[in-house]
Amino acid sequence: MTDMTDDIRKQKRFQFTRHSPTFRLEFESTAAEMQSRCPVAWSDTYGGHWVAASHEAIFDIARESEVLSNDHDVTNTKKGYHGISIPPAQSQYRGGFLEMDPPEQREYRQTLNTYLSPAAVNRWKPFVEALTRSCLDEVIESGRLDFVDDLANIVPAVLTLAMLGLPLKDWDIYCEPAHASVYTPPESPDFPRVMQGAMLMNQRLGEAVVEIREKPRPGMINALVNAEIVGATPPDHELIGVLTLLIGGGFDTTTALTAHSLEWLSEHPAERARLSAERDTLLDGATEEFLRFYTPAQGDGRTFSADCELAGTQFKEGERLWLSWAMANRDPSVFPNPNEIDFDRHNNRHTSFGLGIHRCIGSNMARMAFKTMLTQVLDRMPDFVTDPTGAAHYETVGVINGMQHLPATFTPGPRLGASFAETLELLQRACDEQRLAEPVTVRTASAKIG
Amino acid sequence: MQAWVDPDKCQGHTLCAMRAPAIFELSDIDGHATALAGDLPASEHDAVREAAGSCPEQAITLS
Ligand code: SF4
């Protein structure tokens, strides 16, 4: 490659402000403009970084792990890279294996794969069904609920804790900080309180690591404390970063997907009726389409670890790049009518779980939890109507395209089983007695609930 | 028609098995896919094409 001056390399420029409230509102036109005009551009914002906006460019760049680094050098002892956040996040922890490179990253994933593979996740189905049933029972007689607070926040949280091997009743200790730390910007007056909650959560996780090391119980934490990563036992602060990643990934994203999909279905009752009636053939396609359209995790940052030329652009070592999964998912050259939701869409090779070696490790769990919540809502409150005045979308979607609240009304119905509190106890007993959180290599049988 | 999953490209997205469950098998350990060896029945060709087109990593080769 012939060397170009920076002016020529960075000739294509775009003022990319994904953390601003207007970005969310102008997302479709921004994506279209960047795709037709760039599709890779330099932006001066957030310390200066590249943005990849077309599906082709993102596909070509994201899988080049030889020249991309996810490393977050929090101790500033390596190359000083900043992980996946743009602008850099002020943190004393690396964001788990999402902020690591191979071989470390690969070894962490190998440690956890047997807990999160499709076969491993399937065993939890009866657990999630009972949990979802009890959440809906709490509200079914009243004819009103908040889909976020009463359902979509709870199910992924309790399931994640169960798989980690943490006490289920603690779900609300982790729930608020896990969501609020995503949607509260640093300049918000609420930020110090949210950070305090997050610190408390980390402290709890640290205690759990110590506890499980001394008194093993099945779950991903147990696997992590016994893991050997690049020849050594990982230090506790590294494990806390991994657990924070699993909680962040497990909680907020599935909530975001579920809430947005339910809101769309309320606004499209004919499509909702069709999805419900033909779910055997439509549910998979609809799920992938909601994933594509809403892209809960909007993108990831990377740092170039070597000079390289990709997607027609010359990059220099140390430069940062934002891979916009969200914009890739709206690229008309891969997805005809990209801004429409089409349950029958063909060749839906969306990027919502990322591409390449960092593919979301929880994707199977997310799909299963989402499908369970969705089908039970369709069965038990088929005429639900969401309230647009109460619906609260995250004001900024720089990280997660989430929702804080989604109130709805529906025709009341009868309870079907035990209360949420009783169900939580029942599920805890099932976890303990059946050792549900063992890896699939140890336990292949499905959970038996009640 | 034959199908082959490139193990270096497959990242275990599982879309292939969703589209053509009779043809693509997912590892219990990590969810990575392998395709049934040999000639695939004509009744599966559409589903297999859809599977290949849906693979986010474009790891599936048809011949
Ligand atoms: S869809 Fe592609 S990446 Fe996913 S399991 Fe199948 S072959 Fe692998």
Side-chain angles (χ1 to χ4, degrees), chain B residues 5 9-17 26 31-33 51 54-60:
Chain B
V5 178
K9 288 185 179 167
C10 172
Q11 300 290 350
H13 286 263
T14 76
L15 271 304
C16 56
L26 302 177
H32 288 216
S54 304
C55 172
E57 309 287 346
Q58 297 292 283
I60 302 170

Side-chain angles (χ1 to χ4, degrees), chain B:
Chain B
M1 179 196 271
Q2 301 199 346
W4 178 69
V5 178
D6 183 341
D8 292 331
K9 288 185 179 167
C10 172
Q11 300 290 350
H13 286 263
T14 76
L15 271 304
C16 56
M18 217 181 280
R19 295 304 180 186
I23 305 301
F24 296 94
E25 197 189 345
L26 302 177
S27 145
D28 282 358
I29 304 293
D30 62 10
H32 288 216
T34 34
L36 212 66
D39 286 325
L40 305 177
S43 57
E44 291 286 340
H45 288 188
D46 281 353
V48 170
R49 259 183 234 112
E50 182 68 34
S54 304
C55 172
E57 309 287 346
Q58 297 292 283
I60 302 170
T61 314
L62 303 180
S63 56

Side-chain angles (χ1 to χ4, degrees), chain A residues 11 119 141 159 172 199 273 300 382 389:
Chain A
Q11 212 170 19
E141 292 170 334
L159 174 62
D172 55 348
M199 268 164 57
D300 271 322
T389 59

Side-chain angles (χ1 to χ4, degrees), chain A residues 1 5 27 32 118 147 156 165 169 184-185 199 347 374 388 427 429 444:
Chain A
M1 98 186 167
T5 65
F27 170 70
F147 276 126
K169 62 169 171 36
T184 313
M199 268 164 57
N347 302 327
L374 180 64
L427 294 175
R429 241 177 292 134
T444 50

